[in-house]
């Protein structure tokens, strides 16, 4: 069938938006649009977030390469450093996503990456514990918007049934970053000393300098490839831009261009399902962040050298990366979320049980694999699940930030789960994480039951009173409370 394209106005012509008299398109056309996103948008944000994860977790690698001694990190000072980062990290997540929704991602996301890369590079020149506190606070401010911002950005390009796989790819990049981080740290720490007599760069300082410098370079290039949205992406034809924008608009119950208001904040925060996902993410993220900061130390306590511990930390993260992507693929294919979360969490329950109660080093190392697989995979799943069930793009922007904010509180907890006084067995830390994984499993089961029950009530018309007497615009504004909306189970 012939399709006639007409342009709306000079402004719309500049933006490349169109009115398409034939509103239908072939599945092959939509698949072509999706493939372009898969080969451009997803790899771009994956690289940006991977750099974020490297710059965040390299403090754990630096710790066993001389940072502890150089900065006199005695007692609980290292734990305080980690806590300061996460306190500022979680404080900016919702405001950052509101800014992103209202001003657009093209310059905002790369600017965040540039700033935390600069802070990471400057960490190489830190000479004291108080100065390290300051740079960790700054790093938290700039990195806090990266994860929720990337998650929301992807939700603007992919339909609900496509989102988990792409989100699992960028979340898995943090696992890949941790594996690269171990390899890079082992190599960079052996670079010969350089710099000036007043400021010698060596060992752990090389880790921060080189990784921060790479982040700066990538951030400066990113804006040339990042669009504001699917309707303005220069790598699509005019017809494809229409399809890309329209397919997302049709799936969302409310207006995609709405500015974020206090009403959207309330809809996100007081949604039962958003809170289920947020607190599940709290549990899994506590383990993920604890691993990033402490796994080199934990592995070294197995009796390995610092270099061996760095290298031994790589395989679990690589396996977790592939497992997370596979989990996302299967979840999107079946258009289900909760059952996959409930199915993967027993791995971390078993893993932390082994770490807590076994004395066999090989069994404990195998447990690290199980924990990495479950915690990384479930983290991406809960974030995707919460955004899927937000009800509208404006609410999704807040929900994504809220979920990551609550999850970051788990990051704060993780900084106090593994204390030096508990070395080498770390029974307290393993017990805390085991308890959190059990709680997460139960909460995820409740989340599935809530979605199924609420969807049945909506199908029976038991919630139609919410829209009686409302105009079409008011119905759309209800978001997830609209009886026509269905939760993804």
């Amino acid at each position: 069938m012939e399709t006639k394209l007409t342009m709306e106005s000079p402004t719309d012509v500049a933006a490349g938006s169109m009115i398409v008299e034939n509103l239908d398109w072939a599945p092959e056309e939509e698949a072509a649009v999706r493939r372009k996103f898969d080969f451009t948008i997803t790899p771009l944000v994956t690289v940006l977030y991977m750099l974020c994860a490297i710059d965040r977790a390299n403090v754990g690698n630096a710790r066993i390469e001389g940072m502890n001694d150089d900065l006199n990190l005695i007692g609980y000072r290292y734990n305080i450093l980690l806590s300061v980062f996460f306190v500022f990290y979680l404080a900016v997540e919702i405001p950052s996503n509101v800014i992103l929704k209202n001003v657009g991602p093209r310059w905002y996301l790369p600017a965040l990456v540039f700033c935390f890369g600069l802070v990471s590079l400057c960490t190489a020149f830190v000479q004291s514990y108080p100065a390290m506190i300051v740079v960790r606070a700054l790093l938290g401010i700039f990195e806090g918007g990266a994860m929720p911002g990337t998650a929301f950005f992807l939700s603007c390009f992919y339909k609900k049934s496509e989102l988990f796989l792409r989100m699992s790819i960028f979340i898995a990049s943090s696992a890949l970053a941790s594996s690269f981080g171990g390899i890079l740290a082992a190599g960079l720490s052996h670079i010969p000393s350089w710099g000036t007599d007043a400021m010698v760069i060596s060992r752990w300082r090389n880790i921060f300098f080189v990784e921060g410098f790479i982040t700066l370079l990538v951030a400066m290039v990113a804006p040339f490839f990042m669009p504001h949205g699917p309707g303005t992406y220069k790598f699509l034809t005019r017809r494809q831009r229409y399809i890309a924008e329209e397919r997302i608009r049709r799936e969302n119950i409310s207006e995609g261009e709405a500015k974020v208001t206090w009403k959207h904040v309330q809809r996100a925060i007081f949604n039962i399902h958003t809170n289920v996902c947020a607190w599940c993410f709290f549990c899994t993220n506590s383990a993920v962040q604890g691993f990033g900061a402490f796994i080199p130390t934990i592995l070294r306590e197995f009796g390995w050298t610092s270099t061996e511990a760095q290298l031994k930390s790589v395989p679990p993260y690589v396996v977790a990366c592939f497992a997370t992507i596979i989990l996302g693929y299967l979840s999107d294919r079946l258009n289900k979320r909760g059952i996959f979360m409930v199915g993967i969490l027993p791995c971390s329950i078993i893993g932390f049980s082994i770490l807590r109660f076994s004395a066999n080093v090989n069994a404990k190392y195998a447990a690290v694999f199980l924990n990495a697989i479950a915690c990384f995979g479930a983290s991406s799943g809960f974030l995707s699940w919460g955004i899927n069930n937000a009800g509208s793009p404006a609410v999704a922007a807040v929900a994504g930030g809220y979920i990551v904010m609550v999850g970051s509180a788990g990051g704060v907890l993780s900084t106090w789960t593994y204390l030096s006084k508990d070395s080498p067995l770390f029974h307290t830390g393993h017990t805390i994480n085991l308890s959190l994984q059990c709680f997460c499993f139960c909460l995820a089961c409740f989340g599935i039951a809530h979605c199924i029950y609420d969807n049945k009530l909506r199908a029976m018309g038991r919630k139609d009173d919410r829209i009686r007497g409302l105009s079409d615009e008011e119905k759309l504004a209800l978001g997830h409370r609209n009886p026509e909306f269905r939760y993804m189970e």
Side-chain angles (χ1 to χ4, degrees), residues 245-416:
E245 193 167 41
E246 180 67 11
R247 75 192 196 107
I248 301 299
R249 190 196 67 79
R250 291 186 187 184
E251 187 178 54
N252 286 305
I253 209 168
S254 55
E255 192 59 48
E257 295 300 319
K259 296 291 184 181
V260 176
T261 65
W262 177 244
K263 175 186 66 179
H264 298 122
V265 175
Q266 290 178 308
R267 288 271 159 78
I269 294 177
F270 295 105
N271 182 353
I272 293 176
H273 185 76
T274 300
N275 280 281
V276 167
C277 292
W279 289 103
C280 284
F281 191 60
F282 171 93
C283 298
T284 57
N285 193 52
S286 178
V288 167
Q289 301 302 337
F291 265 42
F294 294 101
I295 195 62
T297 302
I298 293 172
L299 293 180
R300 190 175 62 175
E301 297 298 345
F302 287 176
W304 297 322
T305 66
S306 294
T307 300
E308 287 175 331
Q310 302 278 28
L311 296 177
K312 290 279 190 179
S313 69
V314 173
Y317 287 120
V318 173
V319 172
C321 175
F322 287 105
T324 300
I325 294 173
I326 292 171
L327 186 72
Y329 173 78
L330 294 174
S331 178
D332 279 353
R333 283 295 299 270
L334 297 179
N335 204 24
K336 298 287 185 181
R337 293 287 184 264
I339 189 64
F340 287 94
M341 303 303 97
V342 169
I344 197 70
L345 284 171
C347 289
S348 57
I349 294 174
I350 295 171
F352 280 111
S353 297
I354 294 173
L355 286 175
R356 173 60 181 84
F357 298 107
S358 176
N360 185 288
V361 171
N362 291 327
K364 287 187 173 184
Y365 187 50
V368 173
F369 282 83
L370 292 176
N371 292 337
I373 289 171
C375 293
F376 276 99
S379 292
S380 61
F382 287 123
L383 182 56
S384 173
W385 200 14
I387 290 175
N388 283 158
N389 286 335
S392 76
V395 177
V398 180
Y402 176 70
I403 292 169
V404 178
M405 183 190 75
V406 174
S408 297
V412 176
L413 174 63
S414 74
T415 64
W416 296 97

